Amino acid sequence: QVQLVESGGGLVQPGGSLRLSCAASGSAFSISVMGWYRQAPGKQRELVAAIAPGGSINYADSVKGRFTISRDNAKNTVDLQMNSLKPEDTAVYYCNQKDWRRRDYWGQGTQVTVSS
């Protein structure tokens, strides 16, 4: 079973930064699409950023220019650097792995709160 463990969430002021990290178990990390999703109160879970095995990246329009996703296939990790945080970024952030069979695996989530 794939296991994903997120870390790095917390409380920050508007304009601040956080770096989220996701550590994955399993042998298929390097050939899997990895992503970060978030779910804000009262809203559906949405894709924040995704990165393919070859490095192709997609971002939600709301985070372009502020967030950066990266992966390290040697360490089975995927990170999300979040800069210029806004209150509307407040959400539980989830790490996601899609394997070659399109099976989804999810982390437990980490809370990000942006508030003064």
Side-chain angles (χ1 to χ4, degrees):
Q1 173 79 350
V2 170
Q3 290 189 329
L4 306 172
V5 180
E6 303 100 331
S7 61
L11 173 65
V12 295
Q13 295 190 111
S17 297
L18 282 174
R19 188 176 184 91
L20 306 182
S21 185
C22 173
S25 66
S27 61
F29 179 89
S30 64
I31 59 171
S32 297
V33 175
M34 302 299 301
W36 286 95
Y37 291 71
R38 67 187 181 188
Q39 188 165 18
K43 296 184 63 179
Q44 300 294 119
R45 188 173 299 186
E46 65 175 349
L47 176 69
V48 176
I51 182 166
S56 179
I57 293 170
N58 290 311
Y59 293 103
D61 287 343
S62 59
V63 307
K64 285 181 180 176
R66 300 189 297 121
F67 292 9
T68 303
I69 189 171
S70 60
R71 68 190 295 162
D72 187 335
N73 288 338
K75 299 195 296 185
N76 278 24
T77 58
V78 57
D79 290 358
L80 185 69
Q81 177 66 46
M82 304 185 295
N83 299 326
S84 302
L85 283 161
K86 305 175 180 180
E88 50 262 47
D89 295 317
T90 295
V92 177
Y93 284 70
Y94 297 91
C95 182
N96 170 265
Q97 178 175 341
K98 297 183 185 293
D99 70 11
W100 71 278
R101 296 174 59 128
R102 297 178 62 249
R103 293 177 293 191
D104 279 300
Y105 302 90
W106 297 92
Q108 79 288 346
T110 185
Q111 177 70 47
V112 172
T113 302
V114 185
S115 176
S116 57

